[in-house]
Amino acid sequence: MQDSRLTDAPTDARLAAARELLRRRVREARDGQTARPDSVIPTGPAEPVASFGQEQLWLTDRILGDTAGYVVPELLRLRGPLDADRLRHALTTVVRRHEPLRTVFEDHDGAARPVVLPPDDVPLPVRDLRGTDPADRERLGLETAVEEARRPFDLASGPLLRALLVRLADDDHLFLLTVHHIATDGWSMTLLWKELAAAYRAPAPGAAPLPALPVAYRDWAHWQRQRFDRGELDGSLRYWEERLGGLTPLELPADRPRPAARSGRGRSVDFTLTPELSDRLRQLAREADATVFMVLTAGFQALLARWSGRSDIAVGTPVAGRDRMELEPLIGFFVNAVVLRTEIPATLTFQDLLKQVRQVTLDAHQHQEVPFGHLVERLRPERSLDRNPLVQVMIAAADDETGGLDLPGVTAERVPADFGGAQFDLNLFVTERPDTCAGSLVFDTDLFDQDTAERLVAHYLRLLESAAAAPGRPLGELDLLSDEERHRVLCEWNDTGHPVPGGTLVDLFER
C-alpha cells in the first residue's frame, strides 16, 4: 500500500522530506516513508554472512578484477592546526566500531565468505610536500591523492579502507579516505565523517562519546537472507517481472565500439543550473506534486530518448536500503538499486512525462527491497562482460554536505577530483542546493570522448530550459541545440548549396 504521507502532506513539507530521494526522514525518504520504529532484526548470529549486495560486488570483482568504478574516494582540504596523531587514533576508533570496515572476503567453494579481522591500529601515512616548489605543490598534492585512490584493492587480504594525509604546509593538508564499495555507501560515508570528528574531539584515544550500536551489519545480512528465504519478497519480485519484462539494453551513439569487457575507467563533466532555471524547475515540481529530483529524472530520460532514438527508456537509481531505525547508525554496504522504466513517445508532453516518472518512482520504491542481483537472476537478461545487466545508465541524488568533518580549529572543504572510475555507461549525479541545482555526469571513457559528454550535458541543460519554458509542448519539439550549435549545424555544416533530403540537418537531428 502506498504511504499516504507523501501524497497527502503539504507540498513543501513533502518536497523537503523527499528532496534527495536517498535519505529517509530529513534527507532519505524518496517515497515519504519514515524509518520503522520496531526492531525486527535479530542480533547475535555466530558467523558473519555476506549481504546480497556484498555478494554481487564480490562476484563482479572476481569476474572483472578490481575496477575503479567500485571504489569510493573522498578528498578533503583541511586548513588549520591539525593533529595528525589524534586523527589517526580517531580513524582507528571508527574502524574498530564498524565491522564492514575491517572485513575481508574469502572464496568458500565459489561463494563469498566474510571474515571480520580483529581490531587493530589504522595506519595514516603522511606525504610531506612542504619542501616542493610552492607553485607546484597543490598540483602534486592532488596528483598524489588521485594516484593513491586508483590503487587496487584486494578483497581477500584487505584492508578495504585506506587513508592518506598530504601535508602542503604546517596548517594545510589534503586528507584522503578511499574505501571499497563493498564496505560502504553514500550514507555510510556521511556517518564516517561525523564519527571521525567525534572521536577526534574525544579527550583521549578510544574515549569518543559514541552510543552503542543497536545491531551489527552481520545481523542485518542474516535477517535479509532469512526474509528472502521465507518468500517475503515474492510479491515485489512478481512486480519487477511484470514491470521489466522484455527490456532490452539501451544503446547510445558512442565514439567507439564496446570493448569485450568493461574496464571501469571514466571521467566526469560538472555543471550548474542557473538560479532562474532552478526556480522554474522547482515550480514545475510543485505544480506536478513531484520532487525536483523527479523533474531532473524526467528531463534526463527525455534526453536519452532523443539521443538513442527509442521510446522505451530505463534508468537505474539507488535507494538507501535503511528502512528501519536500527540501521541508521551503521556503516556498511546497504544501498540497492531500482529501475525506472518509462515509455516516451515524441508526442508526449513534458508535463505528462513528469506524471509518469512520479508514479513510476513511487511504485518502484514500494518494491525496493528486492536485491538488484536477485532481480537480474529472476529476469535473466542476456549477460555480457561489456555492459551492466538491465540498466546501463544511472541517475542519483548526490549529497551536498561538506563531509561533516567538524574538527576544532580546522576548516574542512571537499576537493573536486576526477578519480577516473565509472560503474555504468553514464551516471548522472544531481544535487539540489538552496539557490540552485548542480550535477556531474560520469561517463565510461571506453565508449565516450570528453567532448561528447560535454555536448550531452549541454543538450540536457537546453532541454530543461525548453521544458521549463513550455512544459505542455511535445517532447519531440523541445530544443536540444544551443543557438551556437544550431548555427554551426545549419549554416556551416549544411552550407552545400543543395537541400538535404527530408529537411535540414537540424531537422534530421531533432527528430
Side-chain angles (χ1 to χ4, degrees):
M1 180 176 180
Q2 183 172 298
D3 192 330
S4 64
R5 279 168 291 190
L6 181 61
T7 55
D8 294 347
T11 301
D12 289 344
R14 180 163 64 254
L15 294 177
R19 180 177 66 88
E20 297 182 59
L21 299 188
L22 262 177
R23 300 190 182 282
R24 198 172 57 264
R25 300 200 299 184
V26 176
R27 291 186 298 268
E28 186 235 358
R30 298 185 68 163
D31 62 346
Q33 295 180 358
T34 58
R36 303 182 190 181
D38 54 317
S39 179
V40 298
I41 301 178
T43 60
E47 295 293 332
V49 297
S51 68
F52 289 129
Q54 288 180 323
E55 184 177 65
Q56 189 69 25
L57 286 186
W58 182 81
L59 288 171
T60 300
D61 183 83
R62 297 276 294 179
I63 295 171
L64 296 179
D66 185 270
T67 65
Y70 297 97
V71 174
V72 182
E74 294 204 7
L75 182 63
L76 298 185
R77 184 79 172 264
L78 305 180
R79 291 185 172 92
L82 181 70
D83 187 329
D85 286 337
R86 183 178 288 270
L87 184 61
R88 179 175 56 81
H89 285 303
L91 191 57
T92 295
T93 297
V94 176
V95 173
R96 288 183 176 183
R97 175 174 161 83
H98 295 278
E99 287 186 349
L101 297 178
R102 48 186 176 88
T103 297
V104 295
F105 294 84
E106 296 179 346
D107 185 342
H108 182 66
D109 295 331
R113 182 167 68 180
V115 177
V116 180
L117 302 178
D120 199 359
D121 291 341
V122 176
L124 178 59
V126 178
R127 306 279 177 84
D128 196 339
L129 299 182
R130 289 176 297 179
T132 61
D133 187 340
D136 297 329
R137 194 170 300 164
E138 288 196 22
R139 176 183 57 80
L140 291 174
L142 185 60
E143 289 176 354
T144 300
V146 169
E147 181 181 0
E148 166 62 18
R150 291 177 176 173
R151 190 158 58 90
F153 282 95
D154 186 338
L155 299 188
S157 61
L160 301 187
L161 176 146
R162 300 194 301 258
L164 175 67
L165 195 65
V166 180
R167 183 169 291 144
L168 304 176
D170 292 344
D171 58 354
D172 192 2
H173 298 79
L174 293 175
F175 179 44
L176 173 72
L177 275 184
T178 311
V179 192
H180 195 281
H181 211 335
I182 204 169
T184 192
D185 55 23
W187 179 300
S188 297
M189 294 306 292
T190 299
L191 283 175
L192 195 156
W193 291 121
K194 292 180 178 179
E195 291 198 0
L196 187 61
Y200 184 93
R201 291 174 174 270
L210 296 171
L213 297 174
V215 294
Y217 187 85
R218 66 172 74 185
D219 300 325
W220 174 75
H222 273 276
W223 176 78
Q224 182 195 44
R225 290 183 174 275
Q226 290 167 2
R227 291 191 69 214
F228 192 85
D229 292 340
R230 290 194 297 260
E232 295 182 21
L233 304 181
D234 287 353
S236 289
L237 275 169
R238 287 192 295 271
Y239 165 83
W240 287 116
E241 284 182 318
E242 296 174 1
R243 182 66 193 165
L244 302 181
L247 181 64
T248 58
L250 177 64
E251 293 287 357
L252 295 169
D255 294 302
R256 60 192 63 86
R258 286 183 181 274
R262 297 185 64 254
S263 70
R265 291 187 293 268
R267 297 187 66 183
S268 62
V269 177
D270 298 332
F271 61 91
T272 301
L273 278 63
T274 65
E276 295 77 17
L277 175 57
S278 300
D279 288 342
R280 292 201 300 272
L281 296 180
R282 290 190 182 98
Q283 179 62 32
L284 193 60
R286 286 192 291 268
E287 293 171 354
D289 232 14
T291 66
V292 173
F293 182 83
M294 293 174 184
V295 175
L296 296 172
T297 300
F300 191 44
Q301 290 189 301
L303 176 71
L304 296 174
R306 295 281 288 274
W307 269 60
S308 65
R310 58 184 279 182
S311 59
D312 184 6
I313 302 296
V315 300
T317 191
V319 292
R322 300 172 187 252
D323 64 343
R324 283 164 174 81
M325 292 182 68
E326 60 264 44
L327 302 178
E328 291 189 352
L330 300 187
I331 290 176
F333 184 62
F334 292 90
V335 69
N336 193 23
V338 295
V339 181
L340 308 179
R341 185 181 187 182
T342 52
E343 186 64 30
I344 313 178
T347 55
L348 192 72
T349 68
F350 190 83
Q351 286 174 324
D352 289 337
L353 174 60
L354 179 54
K355 292 177 183 178
Q356 184 183 169
V357 169
R358 178 185 182 278
Q359 191 59 54
V360 165
T361 301
L362 293 176
D363 291 344
H365 285 83
Q366 293 298 312
H367 304 281
Q368 64 175 287
E369 291 186 276
V370 176
F372 188 79
H374 278 279
L375 184 58
V376 172
E377 290 179 11
R378 179 66 70 96
L379 295 172
R380 296 190 178 278
E382 183 178 347
R383 303 296 295 269
S384 174
L385 298 181
D386 65 354
R387 73 181 76 233
N388 287 285
L390 292 186
V391 293
Q392 293 74 51
V393 177
M394 291 283 288
I395 182 170
D399 191 1
D400 195 33
E401 295 187 17
T402 59
L405 191 59
D406 184 15
L407 307 182
V410 177
T411 60
E413 179 183 4
R414 286 192 189 275
V415 177
D418 199 337
F419 293 105
Q423 294 183 31
F424 298 87
D425 293 1
L426 298 173
N427 198 338
L428 179 67
F429 295 91
V430 292
T431 302
E432 188 181 355
R433 297 171 179 165
D435 58 339
T436 187
C437 297
S440 180
L441 180 70
V442 178
F443 61 95
D444 188 332
T445 53
D446 289 341
L447 301 175
F448 303 106
D449 291 333
Q450 181 78 21
D451 59 350
T452 300
E454 291 174 355
R455 186 166 64 254
L456 191 147
V457 167
H459 288 182
Y460 180 52
L461 297 179
R462 181 62 177 164
L463 187 147
L464 290 175
E465 286 272 6
S466 185
R473 289 176 62 190
L475 295 173
E477 297 179 7
L478 297 181
D479 293 335
L480 289 187
L481 304 181
S482 66
D483 292 340
E484 178 182 354
E485 190 172 11
R486 180 181 295 276
H487 181 272
R488 182 166 61 252
V489 173
L490 183 63
C491 299
E492 297 178 17
W493 295 352
N494 199 36
D495 186 17
T496 63
H498 299 282
V500 176
T504 68
L505 290 178
V506 173
D507 295 331
L508 294 174
F509 182 83
E510 293 192 342
R511 283 176 182 167

